[in-house]
Amino acid sequence: MRKVLLSMATASALLVSASAFAETTTTTTWTAADGTVIKEYSTTQNYEPVNVPDFDAQVGVVLPSNVKVYSLPSTVKVEQPDRYSYTIVNDQPVVVERSTRRVVHVW
């Protein structure tokens, strides 16, 4: 009985994890030019890049809550721009979903 319950709990945890990553998918196509625009815009706005040594920016990972995010520059044309924010972490432009702070793209 214990093995069955443990198996069910493990399966549930895997399904929850998989669905969390599935929610980070985006139909927006991010280009290399978008990354350049974001990085240059951040510099012109005097936004400070953030150094978080133990953070590895990858799609699906949640951005730490102490990292400030900014609205996308108006020159970055994507569907639903209000859905996304960005920051520069460890010298990399990173786009996140605003509602979850999950990373959706890294350059």
Side-chain angles (χ1 to χ4, degrees), residues 19-78:
S19 67
F21 283 108
E23 292 173 12
T24 63
T25 59
T26 177
T27 58
T28 300
T29 301
W30 302 96
T31 67
D34 292 334
T36 301
V37 167
I38 287 171
K39 199 164 189 178
E40 289 173 358
Y41 179 79
S42 187
T43 301
T44 64
Q45 298 301 304
N46 296 317
Y47 295 156
E48 288 294 320
V50 180
N51 235 352
V52 184
D54 59 338
F55 180 72
D56 184 19
Q58 294 184 20
V59 173
V61 174
V62 176
L63 190 66
S65 61
N66 63 335
V67 175
K68 187 170 182 173
V69 296
Y70 306 96
S71 297
L72 291 175
S74 61
T75 53
V76 174
K77 302 296 182 194
V78 295

Side-chain angles (χ1 to χ4, degrees), residues 79-98:
E79 292 179 31
Q80 302 175 339
D82 292 339
R83 179 180 174 191
Y84 305 103
S85 295
Y86 84 94
T87 192
I88 309 295
V89 180
N90 302 332
D91 205 34
Q92 290 182 291
V94 176
V95 177
V96 298
E97 283 184 328
R98 280 189 189 168

